[in-house]
Amino acid sequence: MKLPKRFITHLAITGVALSVTACSMMGPQKPDWQEDKEYRVTILHTNDHHGRFWQNSKGEYGMAARKTLIDNIREEVALDDGSSLLLSGGDINTGVPESDLQDAEPDFRGMNMLKYDAMALGNHEFDNPLSVLKKQKEWAGFPFLSANILDAKTGKPLFEAYKIFQVNDLKIAVMGLTTDDTAKLGNPEFLEGIRIESPIKVAQKLVPELRKKADIIIAVTHMGHYQDGNHGGNAPGDVALARAVPGIDVVVGGHSQNPLFQPDEQNGTLILQAHEWGKYVGRLDFVYKNGAIVWSEYQLIPVNLKKKVKDAEGNSVRVFIEDEIAQDPTMLEMLSPYQEKGQSELNVEIGFSTDDFIGERSVVRNQETNLGNLISVAMKEKVNADIGVMNSGGIRDNLEKGIVTYKSVLKVQPFGNMVSYVDFSATELTDYLTAAAAKQAGTGAFAQFDGVSLMLKDGKATNIMVNGKALNASKTYRIAMNNYTASGGDGYPKIVDHPNYVNSGYVDADVLVEYIQKHSPLDGAKFAPTGAVKR
């Protein structure tokens, strides 16, 4: 078997652990480490937190239990004469109403208490104005890193490109990189004055410079892990980075929100990712000796995750996957007021649903769903439009059967976008529908429609029917969408400059709340998929 440049890997006996041996690698010109001395280093990491500062209704994850776990690991490492770093792959913002309504203040203050050393800027850090992001950095008290997110005027990184940590006698460079899809995923209104360059091209220039300054290079990224580099309609991710940029020892990733129970080794680089929401804490332990990583072990540690089992009576019950982790009382004391404030504002009943409405990421980004139809209908009705179109990336959760609260709607639509509309000629509508219907399945751009059916043939929308009637070349048609896609988000045609464009000023979640209140109980059958787009 052909061995990679620096690492020889084999599975260890213990579960998901991985052992690694490294050949010699270049470090700083005058290293501080002592010959023949073994340096023990532990890298802890999370990613795609998305507002989950509090444990869920089943008692899973949450920052209080995470603090207990991380404090215990740090103590264990220190007793073994080791050192540790705690890193985040970004996307702290957007996902849970209690957090969103408070600009993720509890989350960043919680990360401060957890003593994170650095994080990569994620695309969802740009769901808010830059002033909010700068305020979040003050709450956090640690570096926000991205070498490829630049100030358009100065050409310099908007925050820091990298940070070099002195860890015992070792210099460890932590470089931040953000997906270049941020240009279409971030809110265009908040990206003005910001230039986003290819993270791979930036890393190709930066890594050789960092090799002169540091013994070890870690890329903390928000780019996504795609098996064998097959990124589909997404921008290239961590695998492409590792293959294109030699010299990176470890990639601590995020964005795709998948758990890597074993590191993906590419071109001598270990790629890590710890799923999402703080469900796991990733732990990479390694030994550095004489200018090389000579041993490494990795695991994902579940944070109070549970599984279903049958009890003695045959009933389905949830039990902890591993021993329960106690919640840290100081973290609970700090977070509780934020949780209580959020709960009081959100647990307001607005209606009832007789069916589950499907917004699960893996489904709604690949096919038409009743929830996509519901949202499109609500927008369409609010602004008296003929057609509603919704990007699936703006749908973040299921709307479950039973009582519907304001909170459950905000979990579905957490971004605070505005419903907007434009009056198109038939030709303009055809061009727009062609672009929207062609959005690739599996991406957040994938479109959900109401009020229209069409066939996509040779890349163009044909056989267009608007509310059951054939497209009339002499008519004008109103189409409703959110201001995010209207501004060019998710790669949709930018129409905010169209003379007929109107931002209604209505927040999308409030529009959905109003629709549910009017039409409760919601009957899922009325919004069932109809095959709006045929290919």
Side-chain angles (χ1 to χ4, degrees):
M1 181 177 70
K2 185 178 179 182
L3 300 178
K5 291 181 181 177
R6 294 202 309 278
F7 294 106
I8 304 169
T9 65
H10 66 272
L11 291 179
I13 296 174
T14 56
V16 298
L18 187 71
S19 293
V20 180
T21 304
C23 300
S24 167
M25 58 184 130
M26 291 183 61
Q29 293 178 350
K30 295 181 179 180
D32 296 330
W33 47 262
Q34 300 175 35
E35 188 174 355
D36 295 332
K37 181 177 178 179
E38 291 188 348
Y39 295 92
R40 298 183 179 276
V41 180
T42 297
I43 305 299
L44 302 173
H45 66 100
T46 58
N47 57 274
D48 294 272
H49 172 83
H50 286 300
R52 267 70 179 188
F53 68 88
W54 200 256
Q55 65 179 14
N56 70 2
S57 60
K58 302 180 183 70
E60 297 176 301
Y61 49 89
M63 299 185 87
R66 193 194 309 176
K67 186 174 191 308
T68 299
L69 173 62
I70 289 174
D71 285 352
N72 289 342
I73 294 173
R74 282 184 172 133
E75 182 179 5
E76 172 199 330
V77 169
L79 289 172
D80 197 28
D81 295 324
S83 304
S84 61
L85 289 174
L86 175 59
L87 305 173
S88 167
D91 266 12
I92 310 307
N93 286 281
T94 309
V96 172
E98 289 91 337
S99 171
D100 298 340
L101 291 174
Q102 301 176 81
D103 287 336
E105 182 175 358
D107 309 88
F108 283 104
R109 290 197 183 278
M111 293 178 77
N112 184 300
M113 286 187 67
L114 281 161
K115 299 180 182 178
Y116 274 77
D117 292 288
M119 65 169 262
L121 286 173
N123 57 283
H124 282 291
E125 269 61 83
F126 297 93
D127 290 341
N128 304 304
L130 189 57
S131 59
V132 172
L133 184 55
K134 289 180 177 179
K135 184 169 59 175
Q136 291 172 338
K137 186 178 184 299
E138 292 178 7
W139 292 333
F142 54 79
F144 288 6
L145 303 178
S146 183
N148 66 303
I149 303 287
L150 310 180
D151 183 306
K153 289 183 178 179
T154 65
K156 296 180 179 179
L158 193 65
F159 290 91
E160 294 180 73
Y162 64 90
K163 176 82 172 179
I164 295 181
F165 294 91
Q166 186 73 42
V167 179
N168 204 323
D169 294 332
L170 302 179
K171 290 183 173 65
I172 300 179
V174 179
M175 167 185 63
L177 296 169
T178 308
T179 175
D180 38 11
D181 270 348
T182 302
K184 65 179 183 180
L185 296 174
N187 191 320
E189 296 180 20
F190 304 144
L191 290 172
E192 290 185 14
I194 295 173
R195 187 169 88 241
I196 301 170
E197 295 192 347
S198 162
I200 292 177
K201 290 181 180 179
V202 169
Q204 286 172 331
K205 295 179 181 178
L206 184 56
V207 168
E209 296 177 17
L210 294 178
R211 271 285 156 213
K212 300 173 185 177
K213 302 176 181 179
D215 303 293
I216 297 167
I217 295 179
I218 297 173
V220 58
T221 73
H222 195 83
M223 296 171 61
H225 175 265
Y226 307 108
Q227 190 67 34
D228 199 28
N230 296 320
H231 54 86
N234 301 292
D238 294 333
V239 173
L241 171 69
R243 290 175 176 176
V245 186
I248 302 173
D249 297 297
V250 180
V251 172
V252 173
H255 187 50
S256 54
Q257 298 177 224
N258 55 314
L260 292 179
F261 290 99
Q262 299 172 8
D264 185 355
E265 184 184 327
Q266 299 286 336
N267 194 26
T269 300
L270 294 183
I271 300 172
L272 319 176
Q273 192 173 152
H275 201 13
E276 62 185 5
W277 305 355
K279 292 177 179 177
Y280 295 91
V281 170
R283 175 177 178 172
L284 175 69
D285 298 289
F286 64 83
V287 173
Y288 187 92
K289 180 179 179 181
N290 293 334
I293 295 174
V294 296
W295 175 87
S296 174
E297 186 173 84
Y298 184 70
Q299 60 182 313
L300 290 185
I301 305 170
V303 183
N304 287 345
L305 296 186
K306 296 180 178 180
K307 62 181 178 181
K308 283 185 177 181
V309 299
K310 297 288 186 181
D311 64 14
E313 286 74 38
N315 300 313
S316 181
V317 295
R318 291 183 181 272
V319 298
F320 290 105
I321 293 174
E322 294 187 3
D323 291 341
E324 181 179 6
I325 301 168
Q327 297 189 82
D328 179 82
T330 59
M331 181 69 82
L332 277 178
E333 182 180 6
M334 190 277 290
L335 294 177
S336 290
Y338 293 102
Q339 179 69 3
E340 291 166 5
K341 180 181 178 182
Q343 289 284 314
S344 65
E345 295 177 4
L346 295 169
N347 288 327
V348 178
E349 184 176 337
I350 61 169
F352 190 87
S353 172
T354 61
D355 296 278
D356 288 330
F357 282 77
I358 307 302
E360 183 180 341
R361 179 189 180 105
S362 62
V363 180
V364 77
R365 296 187 180 204
N366 285 282
Q367 64 192 59
E368 179 185 356
T369 75
N370 55 359
L371 183 54
N373 291 339
L374 170 64
I375 293 170
S376 300
V377 169
M379 290 195 300
K380 186 182 78 168
E381 185 174 288
K382 182 64 177 178
V383 296
N384 195 29
D386 301 291
I387 298 167
V389 59
M390 179 65 192
N391 61 310
S392 294
I395 302 173
R396 306 303 284 194
D397 206 345
N398 296 322
L399 191 67
E400 296 180 353
K401 178 180 178 180
I403 293 173
V404 179
T405 64
Y406 184 41
K407 176 181 178 178
S408 56
V409 172
L410 284 176
K411 288 174 72 176
V412 170
Q413 292 189 281
F415 297 111
N417 291 318
M418 305 291 183
V419 175
S420 59
Y421 63 89
V422 65
D423 293 331
F424 276 150
S425 68
T427 300
E428 289 173 324
L429 178 63
T430 299
D431 291 342
Y432 186 88
L433 291 175
T434 294
K439 294 301 178 187
Q440 185 168 343
T443 70
F446 183 75
Q448 304 278 337
F449 296 98
D450 182 72
V452 67
S453 64
L454 59 90
M455 178 176 288
L456 200 61
K457 186 176 182 180
D458 298 327
K460 185 171 183 178
T462 62
N463 297 344
I464 299 172
M465 304 286 287
V466 179
N467 295 312
K469 296 181 180 180
L471 192 67
N472 186 330
S474 63
K475 282 192 65 175
T476 297
Y477 294 90
R478 178 169 293 181
I479 182 168
M481 74 285 287
N482 59 47
N483 66 314
Y484 168 75
T485 55
S487 299
D490 267 342
Y492 276 70
K494 185 178 179 180
I495 60 170
V496 292
D497 298 326
H498 192 286
N500 295 334
Y501 172 76
V502 176
N503 183 330
S504 73
Y506 298 121
V507 177
D508 52 6
D510 291 340
V511 169
L512 184 55
V513 166
E514 181 181 323
Y515 185 90
I516 293 170
Q517 288 172 327
K518 286 183 179 179
H519 298 277
S520 185
L522 291 176
D523 181 359
K526 292 182 179 179
F527 304 92
T530 60
V533 178
K534 294 181 173 57
R535 291 173 169 81

